[in-house]
Amino acid sequence: MTGVLNNRACQLAERLLSKAGELKVIPHALENGAIVVDCGIETPAGIQAGLMLARICMSDLADVQLIPGTLEGQSTPYLQVQTDHAVESCLLSQYAGWKIDVDNYFAMGSGPMRAAAEKEDLYRILAFGESPEKTVGVLEADSLPGVNVVEMISKATGVEPKNIILLVAPTSSIAGNIQVISRSVETALHKLFECDFDVHRIQAGYGTAPLAPVAKDSLSGIGRTNDSILYGGAVTLWVTGDDESLLEIGPSIPSNSAACFGKPFLEVFKEANHDFYEIDPSFFSPAVISFQNLDTGNVFQFGEMNTSLLKNSFGF
């Protein structure tokens, strides 16, 4: 394919750049022509930057907004995500499946640049890839990448450095916090994909998760943002097909299907030597998932919340 996802994301990224001052983000032009955008490292990029960052990460195929909510009686905002293009926005774009590790620079890479690189097996399995002229990626990191990182991404995607935009935010920032917690639907889809469910049965997705307080450092932020989805995320998927397969796979999808359920994410992360890719992959999913079968009219719900753990994680 050409670059449908990348084109949509690049258009939105260019809108972000045009309002950089208003959104409190700082673009930097590198020597090779690439643009890297500070969305929370040396600048207090805020709510609107975070919401736009999440939409860019999903190739502008989802609506992301803050809604009011409560956590054990205490008022707190929630992040709401809804999409009619769940596979494209979540699996093919938003999922942080590209481990960026160049020299001493490390980041978790997401966004449609993944579809141009096609480094992950899911692109082969889902028979999808792009060859765009421009590409955009979102990096979860504490520092901005240099030309060496851009050159690696350029080689992997086939896109010239001057046509690459990278947006960077740590979890210990308002924008980065929002970007990570907007992954409630994505975690459900990826879990289903890993369990060999036919994700093309999914017609639409809706998810909410409590917006964790911004942490003092990135490690604490990783804990809070993951706890938000693992113990407070609720996802509804509208699907087609039979009920029997939903009843069979349903119990294995929520986070309580993992042996480490009930532990704060930071504890699990420490046990994995601070390597996301060493954690039991069955843990990365929302607390509750509901399937609404469009063919039969039946509804099935699985999982459980753990709001007391969330209150402790958030410092309430």
Side-chain angles (χ1 to χ4, degrees):
M1 291 183 64
T2 52
V4 176
L5 298 182
N6 277 282
N7 289 346
R8 293 182 63 90
C10 283
Q11 289 174 14
L12 189 55
E14 287 165 1
R15 283 178 53 194
L16 178 143
L17 291 173
S18 72
K19 302 197 296 182
E22 177 185 338
L23 295 172
K24 303 179 183 177
V25 302
I26 302 176
H28 298 270
L30 301 185
E31 301 87 67
N32 58 8
I35 302 294
V36 298
V37 187
D38 182 348
C39 296
I41 299 169
E42 298 292 339
T43 179
I47 294 170
Q48 293 305 315
L51 295 174
M52 190 170 286
L53 190 63
R55 287 174 53 202
I56 291 169
C57 204
M58 302 179 80
S59 296
D60 203 17
L61 285 171
D63 178 75
V64 185
Q65 58 182 295
L66 287 176
I67 60 172
T70 59
L71 185 59
E72 290 197 339
Q74 185 161 343
S75 177
T76 190
Y78 275 62
L79 262 170
Q80 171 184 275
V81 177
Q82 51 191 347
T83 177
D84 290 324
H85 306 275
V87 172
E88 292 82 1
S89 64
C90 295
L91 282 182
L92 299 176
S93 190
Q94 188 185 27
Y95 174 59
W98 192 355
K99 186 176 181 179
I100 305 295
D101 192 355
V102 181
D103 297 332
N104 293 319
Y105 187 85
F106 175 81
M108 294 182 66
S110 56
M113 68 175 183
R114 295 172 45 246
E118 298 180 53
K119 294 176 70 69
E120 304 153 52
D121 286 343
L122 71 83
Y123 290 100
R124 174 183 53 79
I125 295 169
L126 297 177
F128 187 89
E130 292 195 342
S131 300
E133 293 184 3
K134 299 180 179 181
T135 191
V136 61
V138 175
L139 302 183
E140 183 183 328
D142 294 327
S143 61
L144 297 177
V147 293
N148 56 339
V149 175
V150 173
E151 293 294 342
M152 183 278 290
I153 292 174
S154 174
K155 183 177 180 180
T157 60
V159 177
E160 294 183 32
K162 66 180 181 180
N163 291 327
I164 294 175
I165 300 174
L166 299 176
L167 303 110
V168 191
T171 52
S172 56
S173 66
I174 296 175
N177 197 44
I178 288 173
Q179 187 270 129
V180 176
I181 298 174
S182 68
R183 295 172 177 272
S184 55
V185 179
E186 176 248 286
T187 58
L189 259 78
H190 190 258
K191 182 69 172 292
L192 285 162
F193 174 79
E194 290 295 322
C195 291
D196 296 323
F197 182 81
D198 180 5
V199 293
H200 292 298
R201 292 174 57 183
I202 301 168
Q203 304 303 304
Y206 173 88
T208 60
L211 182 63
V214 177
K216 64 180 180 179
D217 56 64
S218 290
L219 183 60
S220 300
I222 287 169
R224 284 181 172 179
T225 53
N226 279 277
D227 284 340
S228 175
I229 296 174
L230 295 167
Y231 296 109
V235 170
T236 297
L237 299 177
W238 286 262
V239 303
T240 57
D242 65 288
D243 287 338
E244 291 73 21
S245 59
L246 301 177
L247 287 167
E248 180 180 358
I249 202 171
S252 64
I253 302 305
S255 55
N256 69 352
S257 64
C260 52
F261 181 83
K263 295 181 180 180
F265 185 79
L266 270 187
E267 184 177 331
V268 177
F269 197 39
K270 182 178 180 180
E271 292 172 354
N273 296 314
H274 295 152
D275 187 341
F276 277 97
Y277 301 94
E278 293 299 320
I279 295 173
D280 178 359
S282 67
F283 192 37
F284 291 104
S285 48
V288 174
I289 184 165
S290 300
F291 297 97
Q292 295 191 15
N293 193 328
L294 296 168
D295 289 336
T296 67
N298 291 323
V299 180
F300 307 98
Q301 187 174 95
F302 307 91
E304 60 181 297
M305 301 281 188
N306 189 331
T307 53
S308 61
L309 185 151
L310 278 178
K311 284 192 70 176
N312 289 333
S313 174
F314 291 0
F316 286 178

